[in-house]
Amino acid sequence: MKSPNWNRIVIKVGSALIAPERNGCSSHYLLSVASFIVRCRRQGIQVVLVSSGSVAAGSHLFRKSKNTSGHDKKAMAAAGQTEMMATWDRLFDFSSAQILLTDEDLRDRERFVNIRNTIDSLLENDILPIVNENDTITTDRVKVGDNDNLSAMVATSVQADTLIICSDIDGLFDSNPQLNANASLISEVRDINEQVYAMAGGATSAVGTGGMRTKIEAAEKAVSHGVTTYIVNGFDQRSFDMLIQGKNPGTLFHPHQTPLQESKHWVRHTTKALGEIVVDDEFSLSPKQSVDSLSSSDLIDVVGEFSVGDVVLLRTDSGEKIAKAKTNYSSCLLDFVAQQGDASLNQKIDGTPKPILSNKFSAIMEAQ
């Protein structure tokens, strides 16, 4: 029997598998997932589990209402998280650890690195990391929004070689299989383009928040970092049997031959731009140039408020996105320079050791 050539994998399990009836956690579908994780660990494969489901697991403890508030959902997450962790803990005879994250944790470079170091330490001590978004404290400003994309961010953070995203269907189809009986499964994808996104459609589960589109977004993040990605049917035990045999039970997304450098991948796919630096439409970066060639004389406007070290979008006045990068200066100072257009001010900025934008933490937007 062929075994998969994995060293470290991330597997994402959604709410529909955790609490399919929204009546607390159920081990019905989780037994297959747990068995798969156990078999992987026996083969020396390190596993990180990204598990949604805290809101779905805790919702049955609250009075039913058609207009559930955001605060109610946060309370459901708080109650359901302990039930979900207890359920996973019962399925394993080894230790697990809870890691709750927000988007803010991922987009802050120091915290991002700390996440990796913590998970590395857990794995080195044979402890299973179980990751979820911290739904009890998230706001729209610091919310990833779905655990598909969170799983891709975690996979790139911990340098996994494979990401497995569990769905409620077999994988990506050329049309909605619930509406079209002749829909065909796409077994392999080598280039995630607009055509692939067009096939993704919307959500098929009434329990989870992520649909097929978010899974494609996650796959795009992962493969650009060299992470092989699968979308498989988590409700079918045969999916896990095939995976452990080195077979493809769903849709396989091939990793890029030349992955993005880790720091550039973090800027492009994990961070959010907190503001914009606007340059003239004629401004461009040649293949040999980098964002640190940007001069204060190129600035024509600054949008939003940001501080030193925040990630911003560099774009033209007509809206063309050029790059994302860490800024070495605040919006206040850059806006002052852009509005004044004073040569002496230009010299004050350009004369410092630091350029306006950091080349190390940057990503050209055309570099998919």
Side-chain angles (χ1 to χ4, degrees), residues 14-257:
S15 300
L17 286 168
I18 298 287
E21 305 298 330
R22 279 192 173 271
N23 189 29
C25 292
S26 169
S27 61
H28 182 73
Y29 298 114
L30 302 186
L31 287 170
S32 297
V33 179
S35 175
F36 172 72
I37 292 173
V38 169
R39 285 186 286 175
C40 285
R41 285 168 57 98
R42 285 176 179 170
Q43 293 187 19
I45 301 167
Q46 294 181 326
V47 182
V48 178
L49 173 61
V50 176
S51 176
S52 305
S54 59
V55 175
S59 61
H60 71 290
L61 300 172
F62 292 75
R63 297 184 184 93
K64 302 299 180 183
S65 172
K66 292 182 179 179
N67 300 312
T68 304
S69 70
H71 294 301
D72 288 337
K73 289 185 177 179
K74 294 180 189 305
M76 290 174 185
Q81 183 68 27
T82 56
E83 183 174 337
M84 187 178 73
M85 286 298 298
T87 300
W88 281 120
D89 204 45
R90 286 195 298 269
L91 296 175
F92 300 119
D93 60 357
F94 46 80
S95 298
S96 61
Q98 173 181 262
I99 301 175
L100 297 176
L101 302 175
T102 67
D103 179 68
E104 200 168 47
D105 299 319
L106 293 159
R107 73 183 187 211
D108 180 276
R109 184 63 188 176
E110 185 176 357
R111 295 190 207 176
F112 182 85
V113 173
N114 282 339
I115 292 167
R116 174 191 303 163
N117 293 338
T118 298
I119 292 178
D120 280 346
S121 182
L122 291 170
L123 293 173
E124 288 169 4
N125 288 278
D126 295 325
I127 300 170
L128 174 69
I130 302 179
V131 183
N132 192 11
E133 184 162 16
N134 195 345
D135 292 318
T136 62
I137 65 168
T138 52
T139 63
D140 289 341
R141 188 178 65 85
V142 296
K143 190 176 182 64
V144 176
D146 66 89
N147 274 11
D148 295 323
N149 278 287
L150 177 64
S151 68
M153 295 175 188
V154 170
T156 58
S157 171
V158 303
Q159 305 293 313
D161 48 62
T162 301
L163 169 63
I164 300 166
I165 302 175
C166 294
S167 179
D168 51 5
I169 56 176
D170 292 341
L172 176 66
F173 285 77
D174 58 3
S175 61
N176 191 333
Q178 296 186 348
L179 302 177
N180 180 10
N182 296 318
S184 298
L185 177 67
I186 308 298
S187 61
E188 294 186 40
V189 175
R190 295 186 180 275
D191 179 29
I192 299 177
N193 50 34
E194 288 303 316
Q195 183 181 3
V196 172
Y197 274 107
M199 291 186 285
T204 60
S205 169
V207 179
T209 58
M212 186 56 67
R213 183 175 181 84
T214 63
K215 292 172 175 56
I216 302 302
E217 291 172 354
E220 184 175 19
K221 286 181 173 66
V223 299
S224 66
H225 193 56
V227 181
T228 301
T229 302
Y230 293 88
I231 297 177
V232 304
N233 191 335
F235 291 83
D236 190 343
Q237 181 176 337
R238 292 173 297 180
S239 298
F240 304 108
D241 293 337
M242 292 180 68
L243 283 168
I244 207 69
Q245 294 170 24
K247 299 177 182 178
N248 173 22
T251 302
L252 164 63
F253 295 82
H254 290 275
H256 288 190
Q257 292 290 329

Side-chain angles (χ1 to χ4, degrees), residues 34 44 135 156 204 224 261 284 293 301 327 343 359:
D135 292 318
T156 58
T204 60
S224 66
Q261 182 182 339
S284 63
S293 65
D301 198 9
T327 175
N359 182 46

Side-chain angles (χ1 to χ4, degrees), residues 317-335:
D317 195 26
S318 61
E320 180 188 355
K321 298 176 182 179
I322 300 174
K324 280 173 71 179
K326 261 190 174 186
T327 175
N328 291 318
Y329 298 91
S330 69
S331 56
C332 182
L333 179 57
L334 292 179
D335 183 60

